[in-house]
Amino acid sequence: MTVVRWVVTALVVAGTIAWTLPEWYVGLAGALAGLLLELMALQVGLALGAVLFGLRITHVIIGVGGELKAWTTTNRRIVLRKIPVLATIGITGLKPGVRRRTVLTGVFSAVLCAVVAAACWFATGPAFGKGLALAATACFVLQLVPVERPGHTSLGWFLFSLPKLTGRRLGELEARPRVAAGMDAYYRGDLDESDRIYAELVRAHPDLLTVVGLKVVTLCAREKYLDALQLVLGLSGRTDLGTRELAFVMATTAGIAVLAAEAGQFPEEAGLETARNMLGNAYDAGYPKHRAHGTVAIMALLEGETGKARQLAEWSAESSENAVGRADDLITIARAWMADGNNAKARELTAEAHELAGWSPRVAATRARLEIS
């Protein structure tokens, strides 16, 4: 798919230049605007569709670059970045009938994207308008190709692949409302409630990956990292998991391994080696490297590379999709400052992390160490 995307990009650039001579530079500016406009229409369509058809919006990240302002609650994180172009949203099932609701959301977004692409053609004439229309249309058509990878799900997947989903994959989707309820309990620190929902789910759906994932996060929240590691490693031998799912399993294994090493429950050298191998395999399977910044930051911290740990954890915190994830990244940064002797800076970060997820063992332990010091 990457090759196709580059080929389409080259064709759009060449076509725009040929169509807009001698003002080709104006045409290319229009093409860039058309690309950004269509990508924004896609995300706006998904957001509006989610509201209309009963899905939950888990996060909204507006713009690129450093974080300018953020609003974080237990179930949702909204981030405004310095350069307000592009946006990313996350959606999940909240009510029964998840597939139907998700397909309708995809259809709504596709209709909006089609309307925007069609409207761009009314701007043709000047070079800018020609580039705008060509790029917007190409982007829309490319989005209709069904793609599901660890870091990207295309509009076409919602429209053409999701309606045909069967078996365990469909079960994963339809179980999301109860899994989401368990994750909500986890996010607010009610681990007993999360475990209760897990016990209810596992009786009906013992083979679902999302159900296992719910147990993994509560085990980690209770600092039972070796139990969590054993549970996740058991998934790697399953033959019913696709490449995308295995990528997430391997990335999760890496994350738990470094947490176990940090907590002294696993030999540090073995934990780091396990994490490196698992992340390498996850990357090969298409897992986006930026999603592993939090894990790699803890690895750097364990290896004494405090500057690298802070930088990676800052990137991870800025792109975090929930309060617990951001709190965890802030604690990594705080611990890196502590290692460098700057407890004052560490206290500032730990105070913010405590507001987000004070129940988290890493947050509580770091706060206690700073109070003693």
Side-chain angles (χ1 to χ4, degrees):
M1 187 58 194
T2 302
V3 174
V4 174
R5 189 176 291 114
W6 280 109
V7 169
V8 171
T9 301
L11 289 174
V12 169
V13 170
T16 300
I17 292 174
W19 196 17
T20 59
L21 287 173
E23 297 182 313
W24 58 270
Y25 49 91
V26 179
L28 288 179
L32 177 60
L35 173 65
L36 296 177
L37 180 63
E38 193 66 16
L39 291 175
M40 183 62 73
L42 169 66
Q43 298 299 322
V44 170
L46 290 175
L48 293 176
V51 173
L52 287 172
F53 301 114
L55 297 178
R56 171 188 286 175
I57 299 175
T58 58
H59 63 271
V60 180
I61 300 176
I62 303 170
V64 296
E67 184 178 297
L68 189 63
K69 182 71 175 175
W71 299 265
T72 304
T73 63
T74 302
N75 302 323
R76 183 174 295 116
R77 179 162 162 76
I78 301 174
V79 178
L80 178 63
R81 292 184 173 175
K82 292 180 179 178
I83 305 173
V85 295
L86 300 180
T88 304
I89 76 160
I91 57 177
T92 190
L94 189 60
K95 302 174 182 178
V98 178
R99 174 162 62 178
R100 175 178 56 82
R101 298 176 189 277
T102 308
V103 170
L104 288 172
T105 297
V107 170
F108 183 89
S109 182
V111 170
L112 180 61
C113 288
V115 169
V116 169
C120 288
W121 284 98
F122 289 98
T124 56
F128 186 89
K130 291 177 179 178
L132 184 80
L134 192 60
T137 302
C139 180
F140 173 56
V141 172
L142 195 60
Q143 275 294 328
L144 293 180
V145 179
V147 176
E148 186 190 25
R149 300 182 63 186
H152 172 64
T153 301
S154 73
L155 192 56
W157 186 86
F158 289 103
L159 299 177
F160 308 121
S161 298
L162 182 54
K164 298 184 290 186
L165 213 59
T166 59
R168 181 187 58 80
R169 291 291 309 280
L170 179 58
E172 300 275 6
L173 193 70
E174 297 298 351
R176 279 186 185 178
R178 290 303 293 154
V179 173
M183 289 301 297
D184 287 348
Y186 161 73
Y187 288 141
R188 62 177 182 265
D190 190 349
L191 303 183
D192 289 339
E193 174 66 6
S194 185
D195 280 338
R196 187 192 67 77
I197 293 173
Y198 165 76
E200 170 192 308
L201 279 167
V202 78
R203 285 194 294 269
H205 310 287
D207 61 332
L208 297 188
L209 204 60
T210 50
V211 174
V212 176
L214 178 60
K215 183 62 176 178
V216 167
V217 296
T218 56
L219 285 172
C220 288
R222 296 183 188 280
E223 295 187 285
K224 297 181 179 180
Y225 297 119
L226 295 184
D227 290 342
L229 195 59
Q230 184 177 9
L231 190 57
V232 175
L233 286 172
L235 296 173
S236 59
R238 284 177 50 167
T239 58
D240 62 325
L241 303 184
T243 302
R244 179 177 183 272
E245 292 169 314
L246 284 173
F248 280 109
V249 168
M250 290 182 286
T252 301
T253 304
I256 298 171
V258 295
L259 287 172
E262 182 187 50
Q265 298 178 18
F266 200 56
E268 186 174 304
E269 185 176 342
L272 290 171
E273 186 63 24
T274 299
R276 289 192 196 95
N277 291 337
M278 286 295 174
L279 281 180
N281 292 334
Y283 296 152
D284 290 341
Y287 192 81
K289 290 187 177 181
H290 72 270
R291 295 184 69 94
H293 281 159
T295 296
V296 181
I298 299 175
M299 293 170 65
L301 181 60
L302 292 174
E303 294 174 320
E305 299 181 72
T306 53
K308 179 181 178 181
R310 282 194 295 271
Q311 182 64 79
L312 288 167
E314 284 171 5
W315 289 340
S316 183
E318 287 182 355
S319 62
S320 60
E321 299 172 356
N322 56 69
V324 176
R326 179 170 175 80
D328 202 51
D329 292 323
L330 292 175
I331 288 302
T332 300
I333 303 170
R335 290 186 174 187
W337 279 119
M338 289 170 68
D340 287 342
N342 192 337
N343 284 356
K345 187 66 176 177
R347 286 190 182 93
E348 292 178 16
L349 294 159
T350 302
E352 182 184 346
H354 179 73
E355 290 181 6
L356 294 170
W359 59 267
S360 166
R362 287 187 86 222
V363 175
T366 305
R367 193 163 180 254
R369 284 167 56 188
L370 287 167
E371 287 176 352
I372 293 172
S373 62

